[in-house]
Short mmCIF file of all heavy atoms in Angstrom, two decimals:
data_model
loop_
_atom_site.label_atom_id
_atom_site.label_comp_id
_atom_site.label_asym_id
_atom_site.label_seq_id
_atom_site.Cartn_x
_atom_site.Cartn_y
_atom_site.Cartn_z
N PRO P 1 0.82 -1.13 0.05
CA PRO P 1 -0.02 -0.01 -0.07
C PRO P 1 0.81 1.34 0.01
O PRO P 1 1.84 1.42 0.75
CB PRO P 1 -0.79 -0.17 1.29
CG PRO P 1 0.05 -1.07 2.13
CD PRO P 1 0.73 -1.98 1.23
N VAL P 2 0.51 2.24 -0.85
CA VAL P 2 1.38 3.33 -0.97
C VAL P 2 0.54 4.65 -0.70
O VAL P 2 -0.53 4.84 -1.41
CB VAL P 2 1.91 3.59 -2.36
CG1 VAL P 2 2.61 4.81 -2.58
CG2 VAL P 2 2.87 2.28 -2.76
N TYR P 3 0.97 5.56 0.15
CA TYR P 3 0.28 6.68 0.39
C TYR P 3 1.14 8.01 0.16
O TYR P 3 2.38 7.87 -0.09
CB TYR P 3 -0.16 6.72 1.96
CG TYR P 3 -0.92 5.58 2.37
CD1 TYR P 3 -0.20 4.36 2.71
CD2 TYR P 3 -2.35 5.64 2.45
CE1 TYR P 3 -1.02 3.31 3.10
CE2 TYR P 3 -3.01 4.54 2.74
CZ TYR P 3 -2.33 3.37 3.13
OH TYR P 3 -3.19 2.20 3.57
N VAL P 4 0.52 9.13 0.13
CA VAL P 4 1.32 10.34 -0.33
C VAL P 4 0.86 11.50 0.71
O VAL P 4 -0.20 11.66 1.17
CB VAL P 4 1.05 10.89 -1.76
CG1 VAL P 4 1.76 12.18 -2.04
CG2 VAL P 4 1.27 9.74 -2.72
N VAL P 5 1.98 12.17 1.13
CA VAL P 5 1.71 13.50 1.76
C VAL P 5 2.49 14.53 0.97
O VAL P 5 3.59 14.50 0.72
CB VAL P 5 2.48 13.48 3.28
CG1 VAL P 5 2.23 14.84 3.90
CG2 VAL P 5 1.80 12.51 4.11
N SER P 6 1.60 15.55 0.45
CA SER P 6 2.26 16.55 -0.45
C SER P 6 1.76 17.85 0.14
O SER P 6 0.77 18.05 0.48
CB SER P 6 1.90 16.28 -1.99
OG SER P 6 2.61 17.28 -2.71
N ASN P 7 2.80 18.78 -0.18
CA ASN P 7 2.32 20.29 0.31
C ASN P 7 2.85 21.22 -0.83
O ASN P 7 3.68 20.90 -1.67
CB ASN P 7 2.99 20.62 1.69
CG ASN P 7 4.44 20.70 1.50
OD1 ASN P 7 5.10 21.87 1.38
ND2 ASN P 7 5.23 19.54 1.62
N LEU P 8 2.28 22.50 -0.76
CA LEU P 8 2.83 23.45 -1.81
C LEU P 8 2.50 24.77 -1.10
O LEU P 8 1.93 25.01 -0.06
CB LEU P 8 2.01 23.38 -3.16
CG LEU P 8 0.58 23.93 -3.04
CD1 LEU P 8 0.07 24.16 -4.52
CD2 LEU P 8 -0.54 23.14 -2.29
N GLY P 9 3.14 25.81 -1.71
CA GLY P 9 3.13 27.23 -1.07
C GLY P 9 1.90 27.85 -1.45
O GLY P 9 1.48 28.85 -0.77
N PHE P 10 1.19 27.43 -2.55
CA PHE P 10 -0.03 28.07 -2.93
C PHE P 10 -1.26 27.79 -1.97
O PHE P 10 -1.07 26.78 -1.25
CB PHE P 10 -0.46 27.61 -4.31
CG PHE P 10 0.43 28.06 -5.48
CD1 PHE P 10 1.14 27.29 -6.19
CD2 PHE P 10 0.51 29.45 -5.70
CE1 PHE P 10 1.96 27.69 -7.30
CE2 PHE P 10 1.33 29.96 -6.72
CZ PHE P 10 2.00 29.11 -7.44
N TYR P 11 -2.17 28.62 -1.92
CA TYR P 11 -3.25 28.43 -0.88
C TYR P 11 -4.15 27.14 -1.20
O TYR P 11 -4.45 26.49 -0.10
CB TYR P 11 -4.12 29.75 -0.94
CG TYR P 11 -5.12 29.69 0.17
CD1 TYR P 11 -4.87 30.18 1.35
CD2 TYR P 11 -6.54 29.40 -0.12
CE1 TYR P 11 -5.78 30.33 2.38
CE2 TYR P 11 -7.40 29.58 0.88
CZ TYR P 11 -7.15 30.00 2.10
OH TYR P 11 -8.09 30.07 3.05
N GLU P 12 -4.41 26.93 -2.31
CA GLU P 12 -5.38 25.89 -2.76
C GLU P 12 -4.65 24.45 -2.87
O GLU P 12 -3.85 24.29 -3.80
CB GLU P 12 -6.11 26.13 -4.12
CG GLU P 12 -6.75 27.49 -3.97
CD GLU P 12 -5.88 28.73 -4.34
OE1 GLU P 12 -4.74 28.48 -4.60
OE2 GLU P 12 -6.44 29.79 -4.33
N ALA P 13 -5.14 23.66 -1.93
CA ALA P 13 -4.39 22.19 -1.96
C ALA P 13 -4.80 21.46 -3.14
O ALA P 13 -4.03 20.50 -3.61
CB ALA P 13 -4.89 21.45 -0.67
N GLU P 14 -5.88 21.83 -3.92
CA GLU P 14 -6.40 21.05 -5.02
C GLU P 14 -5.40 21.04 -6.23
O GLU P 14 -5.50 20.20 -7.10
CB GLU P 14 -7.69 21.58 -5.45
CG GLU P 14 -8.87 21.21 -4.49
CD GLU P 14 -8.97 22.19 -3.30
OE1 GLU P 14 -8.28 23.21 -3.24
OE2 GLU P 14 -9.81 21.84 -2.50
N GLN P 15 -4.46 21.95 -6.14
CA GLN P 15 -3.42 22.10 -7.22
C GLN P 15 -2.53 20.97 -7.19
O GLN P 15 -1.75 20.59 -8.09
CB GLN P 15 -2.60 23.42 -7.17
CG GLN P 15 -3.41 24.59 -7.42
CD GLN P 15 -2.60 25.89 -7.59
OE1 GLN P 15 -1.62 25.83 -8.41
NE2 GLN P 15 -2.89 26.87 -6.99
N ILE P 16 -2.58 20.04 -6.12
CA ILE P 16 -1.74 18.86 -5.90
C ILE P 16 -2.34 17.71 -6.68
O ILE P 16 -1.61 16.63 -6.78
CB ILE P 16 -1.50 18.56 -4.51
CG1 ILE P 16 -0.67 19.79 -3.80
CG2 ILE P 16 -0.53 17.32 -4.30
CD1 ILE P 16 -0.51 19.66 -2.38
N LYS P 17 -3.43 17.80 -7.24
CA LYS P 17 -4.23 16.60 -7.80
C LYS P 17 -3.49 15.87 -8.82
O LYS P 17 -3.48 14.72 -9.01
CB LYS P 17 -5.61 16.98 -8.30
CG LYS P 17 -5.63 18.00 -9.37
CD LYS P 17 -7.09 18.33 -9.90
CE LYS P 17 -7.03 19.18 -11.07
NZ LYS P 17 -8.47 19.52 -11.48
N HIS P 18 -2.56 16.59 -9.68
CA HIS P 18 -1.92 15.96 -10.79
C HIS P 18 -0.69 15.14 -10.25
O HIS P 18 -0.42 14.04 -10.69
CB HIS P 18 -1.40 16.97 -11.69
CG HIS P 18 -2.57 17.75 -12.41
ND1 HIS P 18 -3.51 17.17 -13.14
CD2 HIS P 18 -2.82 19.09 -12.41
CE1 HIS P 18 -4.37 18.09 -13.60
NE2 HIS P 18 -3.96 19.31 -13.12
N LEU P 19 -0.14 15.63 -9.18
CA LEU P 19 0.92 14.81 -8.51
C LEU P 19 0.37 13.60 -7.97
O LEU P 19 0.93 12.48 -8.06
CB LEU P 19 1.49 15.78 -7.40
CG LEU P 19 2.82 15.16 -6.56
CD1 LEU P 19 3.60 16.26 -5.99
CD2 LEU P 19 2.20 14.13 -5.47
N LEU P 20 -0.74 13.65 -7.29
CA LEU P 20 -1.31 12.33 -6.73
C LEU P 20 -1.77 11.36 -7.83
O LEU P 20 -1.60 10.25 -7.71
CB LEU P 20 -2.62 12.83 -5.88
CG LEU P 20 -2.30 13.86 -4.76
CD1 LEU P 20 -3.63 13.99 -4.08
CD2 LEU P 20 -1.21 13.42 -3.84
N ALA P 21 -2.29 12.01 -9.02
CA ALA P 21 -2.56 11.08 -10.11
C ALA P 21 -1.29 10.33 -10.65
O ALA P 21 -1.38 9.25 -11.08
CB ALA P 21 -3.16 11.95 -11.19
N ILE P 22 -0.18 11.13 -10.75
CA ILE P 22 1.02 10.43 -11.01
C ILE P 22 1.43 9.29 -10.20
O ILE P 22 1.81 8.16 -10.74
CB ILE P 22 2.27 11.59 -11.12
CG1 ILE P 22 1.98 12.43 -12.13
CG2 ILE P 22 3.56 10.90 -11.25
CD1 ILE P 22 2.92 13.75 -12.14
N VAL P 23 1.38 9.44 -8.89
CA VAL P 23 1.71 8.35 -7.96
C VAL P 23 0.70 7.08 -8.10
O VAL P 23 1.11 6.11 -8.11
CB VAL P 23 1.75 8.85 -6.61
CG1 VAL P 23 1.96 7.69 -5.60
CG2 VAL P 23 2.88 9.95 -6.36
N GLU P 24 -0.53 7.57 -8.26
CA GLU P 24 -1.59 6.48 -8.39
C GLU P 24 -1.32 5.71 -9.68
O GLU P 24 -1.47 4.42 -9.75
CB GLU P 24 -2.97 7.11 -8.39
CG GLU P 24 -4.07 6.02 -8.46
CD GLU P 24 -5.47 6.54 -8.27
OE1 GLU P 24 -5.65 7.85 -8.25
OE2 GLU P 24 -6.42 5.80 -8.21
N ASN P 25 -1.05 6.37 -10.75
CA ASN P 25 -0.69 5.61 -12.00
C ASN P 25 0.46 4.80 -11.88
O ASN P 25 0.48 3.65 -12.49
CB ASN P 25 -0.67 6.58 -13.22
CG ASN P 25 -1.96 7.24 -13.55
OD1 ASN P 25 -3.00 6.64 -13.41
ND2 ASN P 25 -1.93 8.45 -14.04
N TRP P 26 1.50 5.20 -11.23
CA TRP P 26 2.69 4.46 -11.02
C TRP P 26 2.49 3.27 -10.19
O TRP P 26 2.90 2.09 -10.53
CB TRP P 26 3.66 5.26 -10.29
CG TRP P 26 4.96 4.66 -9.94
CD1 TRP P 26 6.04 4.15 -10.69
CD2 TRP P 26 5.32 4.20 -8.66
NE1 TRP P 26 6.91 3.54 -10.05
CE2 TRP P 26 6.66 3.50 -8.66
CE3 TRP P 26 4.59 4.21 -7.40
CZ2 TRP P 26 7.23 2.97 -7.58
CZ3 TRP P 26 5.35 3.67 -6.24
CH2 TRP P 26 6.61 3.05 -6.36
N CYS P 27 1.60 3.38 -9.21
CA CYS P 27 1.21 2.22 -8.28
C CYS P 27 0.52 1.11 -9.18
O CYS P 27 0.86 -0.05 -9.04
CB CYS P 27 0.25 2.68 -7.33
SG CYS P 27 1.03 3.58 -5.95
#
């Protein structure tokens, strides 16, 4: 099982959705 914790300096966390999709596809 693989999980992700990601952060960014922008206010909206939703901008991280493409990073999460990359990890999910790799899994």
Side-chain angles (χ1 to χ4, degrees):
V2 179
Y3 304 86
V4 179
V5 177
S6 184
N7 73 94
L8 78 166
F10 291 113
Y11 186 81
E12 301 84 2
E14 287 78 10
Q15 294 193 49
I16 297 175
K17 64 181 181 180
H18 299 299
L19 182 155
L20 305 185
I22 289 169
V23 176
E24 184 171 8
N25 289 334
W26 174 78
C27 286

